Amino acid sequence: MKLDKQDAVYYLVLLCVPMFFCVSVGLYLSKLTIDQNAEEFGAFYLQTLDRRLAMLSTQVSMALGEPESCEVTHERMALWPNVEHYATVRNGEILCRSNRFFDWADEALVARKLEPGMHTYRKVRPDGSAEVVLVLTTDEVEGNQGFVVLTRQAFHDYLNLAPSPRYAKMTLWVGDVPMVGVHNADEVSTNVVVSEKHHMKFGTTTSDSYIRKIMAMFVLSSISIGLFFSLLAHFLIRSLAPRFSLIEDIKRGLERNEFYLQYQPIYDKDNSQHGFEALARWQHPKMGSVSPEIFIPEIEKQQLSMLFTRYVFEQVVQDMASLKLSRPYHLGVNVPPAFMCSDELEETLKIAIDAFKRVNLSLTLEVTERQLLDEQAIVQINAVRDMGVRVAIDDFGVGHTSLSMLQRLKFDYLKIDKCFVDTVGVDSINAPVLESIIELAHRLNIDIVAEGVENEEQAAFLADRGCEYQQGFFHDRPLSIEAVKSRLNTVQNNERNTQLNIEPYAELSL
């Protein structure tokens, strides 16, 4: 199937728009997932640190629980390899301390009343250099309080921070001072979790490999979802809005002359050919041949009957212009009741009548019975007949025409719908209706045209009941205008040879 520019734009938009939104949402969700995972990881890590620090604080309190016995304190603290610097104080007086305690702290520190917990302390060395350490203070019991100093390295070793492949950089703050991952402190501010218990903050930076993995997962999923929504949108558009696309195709088809007419031969009860019926056909450039059962109801529903009727009249005149008929034929054009009440009726009929006279044709209008004829249409039918145009009621028996309206209407032909012809030879509740219609037409002195004759039994039945004309696949299938011209030439040559004088009938319907 060949795509034009409009189709290409349609499929491009249908593919790109859902894909753009789905991929955008996928990227946004991937960022949310990365941030949420980092936050959950930080919260879990921080809870683990809280428990370890709470355990350290408890054990330090127990180790420093007997400040009067310095030997006992030294023995207990020797069990903590990560903690080398400690002191016990009572009312500002140092009772016990490690040998190098004052290398990391001074007497002013222990003299201060520090709240229990962790504090950062900046120790300035004699050479002017400085290092930040962590001071852990115990609860004060009977004036006794313990101090433990942890260097950054000792604090890091005690916490035993395990690296994660998902996170390239991690930093732990105590207060506002980074104690672990100092060099990364300026780069991990996006995912920070705070612990109020120990005044700590933990921040991470997600690794590039993990970001690429998460984004790839979401993008690939969003592409699949985007394709699904594209297909869903396509099917919804095609299923929920076929009328809109069909009516636009019909309008374009009229502009491009995609609609044409085929002609089906008509025979009388003696099986002699008397004319042709023209049928509207549509050759769609993409869908191929479109059934009249699809486009005719849509034309009527979308109020395009007037436009289509004008098109048909123009096509009929064009097809029949080159005919050379030795005797008159009756040519029927199927028109909706709205056409009978339009301002274009008289002008359109005059143009058609003048054109038909030049090729020895007389016009018959077929008014579909599917729509109820109102008072104005009845008046117009009478006016049309006064112009010399014959009138036929099409598809009789399946519409709204009542017997009372038949008494008021004056028309020339009654076309019996195929659904009644199909009852011939079939045990059906509609079988008696066919004979009633034929009898009614005869009482009204109206000629009958039976549609849809498909077998010999139907043809014989209709002929025996006095049906004047028949059409259907049993007699012949629709022909092109070229085949019609050939058929008419053959018939006229035979008529000249046999000198038959038979009044033919031909009709044209949508």
Side-chain angles (χ1 to χ4, degrees), residues 401-509:
T401 304
S402 63
L403 294 178
S404 61
M405 185 167 291
L406 289 179
Q407 293 176 346
R408 300 171 55 196
L409 277 173
K410 293 182 180 180
F411 54 96
D412 304 283
Y413 300 101
L414 188 66
K415 298 195 68 177
I416 302 177
D417 190 79
K418 181 181 183 299
C419 67
F420 297 105
V421 176
D422 290 338
T423 63
V424 175
V426 179
D427 186 12
S428 170
I429 59 174
N430 290 328
V433 178
L434 176 60
E435 295 192 39
S436 299
I437 294 175
I438 295 174
E439 183 179 355
L440 174 62
H442 288 162
R443 288 181 177 273
L444 296 174
N445 296 320
I446 300 173
D447 289 338
I448 300 174
V449 181
E451 300 178 299
V453 180
E454 296 184 350
N455 55 59
E456 185 176 357
E457 183 180 5
Q458 293 174 349
F461 178 90
L462 293 168
D464 292 341
R465 277 26 176 215
C467 180
E468 286 79 9
Y469 301 102
Q470 297 181 20
Q471 62 184 85
F473 289 174
F474 172 71
H475 297 289
D476 223 332
R477 290 183 175 272
L479 306 174
S480 65
I481 183 60
E482 290 77 14
V484 168
K485 294 175 182 179
S486 176
R487 180 71 59 86
L488 285 175
N489 290 333
T490 301
V491 171
Q492 292 179 153
N493 290 335
N494 292 336
E495 288 178 348
R496 281 194 295 268
N497 294 332
T498 59
Q499 297 297 314
L500 293 178
N501 186 18
I502 301 175
E503 181 183 0
Y505 174 85
E507 61 172 304
L508 176 67
S509 63

Side-chain angles (χ1 to χ4, degrees), residues 23 54 186 196 215 217 230 233 294 336 497:
V23 171
D186 296 333
E196 299 293 341
M215 291 182 66
M217 180 181 67
S230 294
I294 296 177
N497 294 332

Side-chain angles (χ1 to χ4, degrees), residues 24 47 97 129 167 174 228 310 371 432 453:
S24 299
Q47 289 176 1
R97 64 180 179 83
S129 62
Y167 305 98
V174 176
F228 169 76
R310 289 196 300 269
Q371 304 181 40
V453 180

Side-chain angles (χ1 to χ4, degrees), residues 237-502:
I237 290 172
R238 292 303 184 190
S239 60
L240 296 180
R243 296 178 181 175
F244 298 101
S245 59
L246 179 60
I247 200 63
E248 291 301 322
D249 283 346
I250 291 174
K251 292 179 180 178
R252 287 195 294 267
L254 292 173
E255 295 174 356
R256 300 172 182 175
N257 294 322
E258 295 172 3
F259 292 90
Y260 63 97
L261 299 174
Q262 284 188 332
Y263 300 86
Q264 188 175 31
I266 295 178
Y267 295 81
D268 65 9
K269 57 186 177 182
D270 297 324
N271 203 30
S272 299
Q273 184 173 330
H274 279 269
F276 297 87
E277 176 188 2
L279 305 171
R281 295 291 183 259
W282 183 17
Q283 186 65 29
H284 194 280
K286 297 176 184 175
M287 296 186 291
S289 180
V290 181
S291 172
E293 295 180 357
I294 296 177
F295 66 83
I296 291 296
E298 192 66 22
I299 286 173
E300 295 175 352
K301 186 174 182 179
Q302 299 296 331
Q303 299 181 352
L304 291 178
S305 298
M306 295 298 300
L307 178 63
F308 194 76
T309 301
R310 289 196 300 269
Y311 180 91
V312 169
F313 269 106
E314 293 173 0
Q315 189 68 41
V316 168
V317 172
Q318 179 179 342
D319 285 351
M320 300 299 172
S322 60
L323 292 179
K324 296 180 180 180
L325 305 176
S326 59
R327 57 186 177 85
Y329 280 76
H330 299 289
L331 193 63
V333 177
N334 195 319
V335 296
F339 177 76
M340 304 298 295
C341 304
S342 69
D343 297 334
E344 303 178 16
L345 175 65
E346 183 176 355
E347 181 180 356
T348 303
L349 292 184
K350 285 183 178 179
I351 295 174
I353 292 172
D354 292 341
F356 289 172
K357 283 182 178 179
R358 289 193 291 268
V359 294
N360 207 10
L361 290 174
S362 61
L363 177 63
T364 298
L365 296 184
E366 295 186 9
V367 181
T368 56
E369 198 213 356
R370 290 191 300 270
Q371 304 181 40
L372 181 62
L373 297 173
D374 56 17
E375 295 294 332
Q376 184 181 359
I378 295 174
V379 173
Q380 291 296 95
I381 286 176
N382 294 331
V384 165
R385 296 184 77 247
D386 292 339
M387 296 174 62
V389 177
R390 296 188 179 187
V391 177
I393 300 297
D394 194 19
D395 298 334
F396 182 78
V398 296
H400 303 283
T401 304
S402 63
L403 294 178
S404 61
M405 185 167 291
L406 289 179
Q407 293 176 346
R408 300 171 55 196
L409 277 173
K410 293 182 180 180
F411 54 96
D412 304 283
Y413 300 101
L414 188 66
K415 298 195 68 177
I416 302 177
D417 190 79
K418 181 181 183 299
C419 67
F420 297 105
V421 176
D422 290 338
T423 63
V424 175
V426 179
D427 186 12
S428 170
I429 59 174
N430 290 328
V433 178
L434 176 60
E435 295 192 39
S436 299
I437 294 175
I438 295 174
E439 183 179 355
L440 174 62
H442 288 162
R443 288 181 177 273
L444 296 174
N445 296 320
I446 300 173
D447 289 338
I448 300 174
V449 181
E451 300 178 299
V453 180
E454 296 184 350
N455 55 59
E456 185 176 357
E457 183 180 5
Q458 293 174 349
F461 178 90
L462 293 168
D464 292 341
R465 277 26 176 215
C467 180
E468 286 79 9
Y469 301 102
Q470 297 181 20
Q471 62 184 85
F473 289 174
F474 172 71
H475 297 289
D476 223 332
R477 290 183 175 272
L479 306 174
S480 65
I481 183 60
E482 290 77 14
V484 168
K485 294 175 182 179
S486 176
R487 180 71 59 86
L488 285 175
N489 290 333
T490 301
V491 171
Q492 292 179 153
N493 290 335
N494 292 336
E495 288 178 348
R496 281 194 295 268
N497 294 332
T498 59
Q499 297 297 314
L500 293 178
N501 186 18
I502 301 175

Side-chain angles (χ1 to χ4, degrees), residues 109-142:
L109 173 65
V110 298
R112 295 166 56 186
K113 293 291 184 180
L114 296 178
E115 294 182 0
M118 291 188 298
H119 307 274
T120 55
Y121 175 72
R122 188 170 183 271
K123 171 65 177 179
V124 180
R125 296 188 179 89
D127 60 1
S129 62
E131 182 176 351
V132 177
V133 296
L134 183 67
V135 177
L136 176 64
T137 62
T138 65
D139 293 326
E140 186 175 354
V141 180
E142 297 180 356

